[in-house]
Amino acid sequence: MSAFQTTTLPVPLNEPTYQRVKRAIIGDLMRGDFNPGTHLTIDALTARYGVSHMPIREALRQLEGEGILVSLAHKGFRIEAISESYIRNIYDIALASNRCLPGAPSSEQPSRMSWKSANSMAI
């Protein structure tokens, strides 16, 4: 018996399964279904989302690459606590990205991007 509840994934026709799984994991994290430090296994997530191991594995690897998860050798993954430096890094990236958009202020002018708009770009 799994410690997780089953979650139904929406099925957009043009989105690969691993991306839907990744979105679902992030959604569960944002809703508080998963907390920092939570141990995730491929078997538990397979049961939770009703998909095979391969898309779960790919979604976990992508989340690991983004710094959201930490791989535990032969034991699954752990959700990493988000630190202030991680949030500042995302904010800096969002500010830099904003300057590349058409109509963005020139490099001599300070950016007027708000924390809310930077936060919405992070996910």
Side-chain angles (χ1 to χ4, degrees), residues 6 9 17 21 23 27 38 40 43 54 59-60 67 83 94 102 116-117:
T6 302
L9 299 176
T17 304
V21 170
R23 271 192 312 109
T38 300
L40 301 176
D43 289 337
M54 289 306 291
L60 293 173
S83 66
K116 184 177 180 182
S117 61

Side-chain angles (χ1 to χ4, degrees), residues 115-123:
W115 171 254
K116 184 177 180 182
S117 61
N119 191 30
S120 68
M121 291 175 65
I123 295 182

